[in-house]
Every structure is written in structure tokens, then in C-alpha cells.
Amino acid sequence: MARVVGGIGASHAPSMEHIYDAGEEVRESDEWQPLFGPFKDVASWLEQLKPDRLVVIYNDHMDQFFLNAYPTFALGVADTYPVADEGFGARPFPPLPGDARLGWHIARSLVADEFDITICQELEVDHGVISPLPMVDFSEGEGGWKIPIVPLAVNVILHPLPSPLRCWKLGQGLRRAILSYEEDLSVVVVGTGGLSHQLTGPRFGQVTPDWDQEFMRLLAEDPESLTTYTYKQLIELGGTESVEVVNWLAMRGALPQDARPLVQAYYAHRIMGYGLQTFEVAA
Amino acid sequence: MELTQDYLDRLRAVQPHDLPGDLDLFDEHTATRGMRLNKAAYSLKDAHQRELFHHDEEAWMEQFGLTDEEKDLMRTRDWIGLWRKGMSIYVMVKLSGVTDTPLPEIGKQMRESGGSANG
């Protein structure tokens, strides 16, 4: 049977792509090392863990889904996920490998659990997936991507959004889906987005490091307490676009209660509170 | 009573209201108001649309049934005006790309805008 062997919470942002693509020297500069250095620790942790699959809980930024029909939860059931053109030409990465069979199983399990997701046989993934992924898929490089993914998109853009409690429960449902899969696979669940950022209005560029670090502490020690926050509170604490943190909460819901934080890093820089947190699960 | 207190509490909390005036939300009002503008900017995902934008911006705009006011906001790169008319930041980024406008420039205008799009 499949197992959940770890979790990763990571910010996603176009800036992470620009700096990654600028090369190792820029990544290791004084300005960016605080963000990219800890990702190396994640990569070496994963290299030991060698997960067979990554389930990536993220949000799209109107690169796949548009407002004509916006899904609340959408799950990929494809064997390959092309990189979306976000308006500047797609990044030069090969399509990401998927696992359609696992995707379909998760779809059935979630529906059995009364999560009526949108089922996607074709899905282009944007920076919600691929801005952190080159740093966590240790096999990326000349050989291309090697860990197949199953993407799960959450609407954090068009209100009403699924509540933080609902996202937590989605993670718990995802856990049941993985544990009930008959193939012997080890799975790491990834949640991307946040932390604090504000891209609209007079507060453009505001970050709130105290709240970001409190969020990471709560996610580790008392994740269920985060399910009681309303979106109004989350927006006031971290900014309009910071509500992406519910993707982390869903990730945490897929882990056992006693999962322990391992790599923890936080860097408030320019217009983003960048967070990175991995969870280890006892064998 | 079918409409229990628990239900009513959830209904009330499902969408933020009474946010401070300098925080905004993309919701029923913004999405409805901004549909034409968002369709237009979303189209720039497509390389052919970007080509048309560069080649003949007026013809590019014609495709989306924009009002005269919306077209003017586009022509003048009035980011605050576009935002107030309901353009989502996520498609605005695509428009910023095709017009070579760095995000910090949009941010500068946003900071000086002094009020919410929902105000």
C-alpha cells in the first residue's frame, strides 16, 4: 500500500523562477542565499527519502483556469503536465511526468469522501507548481524531471474560497486516498504559496514576518488551530494574496498529527515573505 | 430551524466583509465588473495574441467588447484605473509583460492609489 512519508510547505513566486533561471551564482549571492540555501537542505533530505511521487497542492494564477468557469478544487489525472505560458513564453522545462492511475484513484477516493473535485485530463501547470519544484525534485537537471507528480489546485483567487477548515479536511481526505492506494509507493505531499504578500492597493509590497513565523509555528505545533481563522483574518494578517497559505494547511492535513518539522527557513525580502518548511514522518 | 446558528456563522464567515479600505478582494463585484478586461489580459497567455497586441493594439482590443472607457485605460496604461475596473492582478501581470512595465512600477502606482477597488 502507498504511504505518506513527508511533507513540504514552500512559497511560490515568479521571482523564484527568475533567480533560479539566472544560475547558481545568483542563487548563492548574499541577496538570495537565505532563500535558496535552505532549499538545498530540502533537496538532500529528499535524496535520502527518495519519494516515488509528489502530490502538489497549489493554486493556479489564471494560467490554466479562467473566470469563465473557475473550479474550487481541481485534480490532475494525466501522465504528463506541460509548463504553462504565463504570458512571457513558457520556461524551458520539459513537461512534468504525472501518474494518471494514482490521480484517478485519488479522484475516486475524494469523491467518496464528498470532495467533488474537477477532474482534469489535461492541465498546464504554472509557477504555483514549477517555481519551487526544480529545488525539491532532486533529480531535475540534464535527465529532466524524475518524480511523477499529481497536482491538486485550490481556488484561492475568486471569493468565495473554500474555507481553511475545508482545506484541512481536503488534506485529510488526500491522506486516506494515498493510504488506500494498492501500489507500494512512498509519497511526499507538497503545499505551495504564501506567505505574506500584498500585490494590490495602497499596501502593495507589505510583508508581515511576525505573522508568517507564527503561521509556521502553528502549522507545526497546532495545525488545527489554523482552521478557525477566517479569510478576513488571514487577509488582515498577511495580505490579500497571502490566503494561499491554505495550500500549506491542506498539506499538513495529509500528514500524521505527530509529523515533525525538519528544515525550517523564513526570509522576508522585497515584496514576499518566503517560507520553507519540511515535515518528517516516523516510519 | 433549518438555518441553524452554526450555518449562519459559516455563511457570514465564508467571504470577508468590512475589510479595511486599503485591502481588497476579488469577488462577485470585481469579477463581474472586470470580466471583459480580464478576458482581454488573459488572452495574452497566447503568443499569437501577444503578437497581435504588438502589431495592432486596437484590433487586439476589438476582440473583447471593451467599453470606450476600458479601452482608454488600456491605451494609457492606467494600472490603477484597470484595477478599479476589476482587472485581476494575475492577468495584469500578463499585460505588464507585454507592455514592458516592471511590477515595481505598478506597485508604486498601487501604493499611491489611496483606496480599494471595492470602495
Side-chain angles (χ1 to χ4, degrees):
Chain A
M1 303 295 275
R3 293 154 288 132
V4 177
V5 297
I8 301 172
S11 292
H12 65 229
S15 56
M16 292 164 65
E17 304 188 318
H18 300 152
I19 301 304
Y20 183 88
D21 295 346
E24 194 161 354
E25 200 174 316
V26 180
R27 294 199 288 273
E28 292 184 354
S29 65
D30 289 347
E31 183 179 8
W32 292 105
Q33 198 281 335
L35 173 63
F36 285 87
F39 269 114
K40 281 189 164 177
D41 299 333
V42 179
S44 30
W45 171 63
L46 279 178
E47 210 155 347
Q48 290 173 358
L49 201 58
K50 287 197 178 9
D52 298 308
R53 300 289 182 272
L54 301 173
V55 176
V56 185
I57 305 165
Y58 76 110
N59 62 278
D60 179 74
H61 306 77
M62 295 198 215
D63 295 307
Q64 165 65 53
F65 303 114
F66 184 63
L67 302 165
N68 59 334
Y70 209 87
T72 297
F73 298 122
L75 179 75
V77 295
D79 277 324
T80 182
Y81 297 100
V83 174
D85 179 344
E86 302 190 25
F88 313 86
R91 286 172 91 196
F93 284 113
L96 287 79
D99 182 345
R101 201 167 154 268
L102 175 59
W104 281 107
H105 170 79
I106 294 173
R108 283 187 293 270
S109 176
L110 287 177
V111 170
D113 257 338
E114 300 181 350
F115 282 95
D116 306 318
I117 37 80
T118 298
I119 298 169
C120 306
Q121 290 194 80
E122 293 182 358
L123 185 66
E124 294 186 356
V125 293
D126 71 357
H127 73 266
V129 171
I130 67 148
S131 65
L133 212 64
M135 287 87 87
V136 299
D137 184 340
F138 60 88
S139 58
E140 195 274 330
E142 283 177 20
W145 310 103
K146 289 198 182 65
I147 315 178
I149 69 163
V150 176
L152 174 55
V154 177
N155 168 27
V156 296
I157 288 179
L158 175 62
H159 289 259
L161 314 181
S163 71
L165 175 62
R166 188 68 174 150
C167 294
W168 168 257
K169 289 180 175 175
L170 175 73
Q172 293 180 315
L174 175 63
R175 176 174 182 77
R176 284 187 287 272
I178 294 166
L179 298 184
S180 63
Y181 191 57
E182 68 276 18
E183 210 178 320
D184 181 27
L185 293 178
S186 59
V187 179
V188 164
V189 180
V190 185
T192 81
L195 300 173
S196 63
H197 60 304
Q198 175 73 42
L199 303 178
T200 47
R203 293 200 208 182
F204 180 96
Q206 181 172 290
V207 294
T208 48
D210 288 347
W211 161 242
D212 288 341
Q213 289 170 83
E214 174 67 359
F215 173 84
M216 289 171 68
R217 188 187 69 79
L218 289 172
L219 196 73
E221 295 172 10
D222 186 13
E224 280 200 76
S225 69
L226 291 167
T227 66
T228 64
Y229 283 70
T230 63
Y231 279 113
K232 183 177 181 186
Q233 288 172 302
L234 292 178
I235 289 171
E236 287 179 343
L237 286 163
T240 299
E241 284 75 31
S242 76
V243 297
E244 296 168 342
V245 295
V246 295
N247 299 334
W248 290 46
L249 189 56
M251 173 277 291
R252 186 66 178 86
L255 306 181
Q257 193 69 37
D258 63 357
R260 287 208 329 247
L262 197 64
V263 179
Q264 299 199 84
Y266 179 74
Y267 183 42
H269 186 55
R270 297 190 184 176
I271 62 170
M272 286 286 300
Y274 296 102
L276 180 62
Q277 193 171 33
T278 67
F279 290 90
E280 115 187 293
V281 170
Chain B
M1 179 74 170
E2 287 173 72
L3 305 183
T4 60
Q5 194 56 48
D6 173 59
Y7 161 78
L8 293 170
D9 290 346
R10 274 183 281 133
L11 180 62
R12 191 173 157 69
V14 74
Q15 184 171 320
H17 39 80
D18 307 324
L19 277 172
D22 58 354
L23 285 170
D24 70 320
L25 207 60
F26 196 83
D27 65 356
E28 173 188 354
H29 304 292
T30 340
T32 306
R33 188 165 64 223
M35 192 59 173
R36 288 179 299 273
L37 284 172
N38 284 318
K39 256 188 196 167
Y42 174 73
S43 78
L44 298 169
K45 263 180 58 58
D46 182 340
H48 295 105
Q49 291 287 342
R50 295 199 290 271
E51 208 170 295
L52 179 57
F53 183 98
H54 288 304
H55 178 70
D56 186 347
E57 191 172 328
E58 295 296 319
W60 173 78
M61 285 198 288
E62 267 323 303
Q63 303 172 97
F64 308 103
L66 301 177
T67 65
D68 289 343
E69 192 185 358
E70 289 167 339
K71 285 181 186 170
D72 269 343
L73 294 171
M74 285 277 196
R75 288 184 194 111
T76 55
R77 314 284 188 253
D78 180 344
W79 303 103
I80 298 304
L82 291 167
W83 172 57
R84 291 216 168 101
K85 286 287 172 194
M87 184 181 282
S88 156
I89 185 66
Y90 297 113
V91 293
M92 194 179 285
V93 167
K94 304 180 201 315
L95 188 65
S96 81
V98 84
T99 56
D100 283 326
T101 311
L103 190 61
E105 172 53 32
I106 295 179
K108 185 170 168 287
Q109 290 191 27
M110 287 281 186
R111 276 194 293 269
E112 291 162 0
S113 67
S116 160
N118 293 328

